[in-house]
Amino acid sequence: MGHHTISILVLNQSGVLVRVAGMFSRRGFNIESLAVGTTHVPEYSRITAVMQGSDAIVAQVVKQLEKLVEVRAVEILPVNTAVVRDMAMIKVKAAQNKKLEVLQLAETFGAKVVDISNETLMVEITSGKTNTDALIDALSSYGILEMIRTGVVGLQRGDCSIYEKEKCEISALFDTAQVEA
């Protein structure tokens, strides 16, 4: 039972997110992370959901999602062939004598300081889950005042896109057949 990132291309219409999330909840599947945004094609939005489950459970989820009228394509983003990121903003206590330490710590993790006040720093990180979790752990000793974290977003590496999913799958079958021959 591993974590699976599912990318869902949907029509950009009101109520679509409720129907997609409802499909998960009606079947007892927990969504661990959820992110939604419009794409470069205004008629479409992309939903990225992370869930835990066996390959069979995830295959069942994909089949159920594909039955929804507003869903145009569904793909599972494999760990080794996708770029997956989340973003966090963390407000940390940082008295004058600790600001430099927090600044250096943020830099070590590839994060940016986006706001500085008398007693706090706000850090922003866009990274993979492991790196983001490690920064949060490192900053906790300074005192995290508040934090917000986005859902995971991701794209498949390579030349194909979710808009051409079917065409790419067929092409991959022919490529595999040629390699085997």
Side-chain angles (χ1 to χ4, degrees), residues 13-168:
Q13 299 174 345
S14 64
V16 173
L17 177 60
V18 171
R19 284 189 281 287
V20 168
M23 188 287 304
F24 279 87
S25 68
R26 277 192 307 279
R27 286 162 181 76
F29 303 128
N30 184 44
I31 299 172
E32 293 184 7
S33 172
L34 184 68
V36 184
T38 56
T39 69
H40 68 290
V41 180
E43 299 84 44
Y44 295 106
S45 290
R46 195 160 184 152
I47 300 172
T48 307
V50 177
M51 66 172 288
Q52 189 171 356
S54 67
D55 290 345
I57 289 173
V58 174
Q60 180 184 1
V61 167
V62 169
K63 285 179 186 170
Q64 294 300 315
L65 288 168
E66 289 172 336
K67 289 180 184 178
L68 297 175
V69 174
E70 302 86 357
V71 172
R72 293 297 177 250
V74 181
E75 66 181 356
I76 300 166
L77 298 177
V79 176
N80 58 342
T81 62
V83 177
V84 178
R85 298 286 185 263
D86 71 353
M87 194 263 289
M89 292 175 66
I90 309 148
K91 189 185 293 181
V92 183
K93 288 183 195 175
Q96 290 295 26
N97 63 338
K98 296 290 183 179
K99 277 192 173 40
L100 184 57
E101 285 179 36
V102 175
L103 285 164
Q104 290 171 337
L105 186 61
E107 188 176 297
T108 301
F109 283 89
K112 299 184 290 188
V113 173
V114 294
D115 186 62
I116 300 173
S117 70
N118 290 337
E119 298 294 321
T120 66
L121 290 175
M122 189 182 307
V123 176
E124 174 189 308
I125 183 168
T126 301
S127 187
K129 182 181 180 342
T130 305
N131 196 48
T132 303
D133 288 345
L135 176 62
I136 292 166
D137 287 345
L139 291 174
S140 64
S141 64
Y142 294 93
I144 294 175
L145 298 172
E146 58 184 330
M147 182 184 91
I148 183 78
R149 196 166 183 172
T150 67
V152 169
V153 295
L155 292 174
Q156 185 78 277
R157 294 180 190 271
D159 296 331
C160 288
S161 75
I162 195 168
Y163 297 96
E164 304 169 319
K165 182 176 184 267
E166 202 170 294
K167 184 174 103 179
C168 290

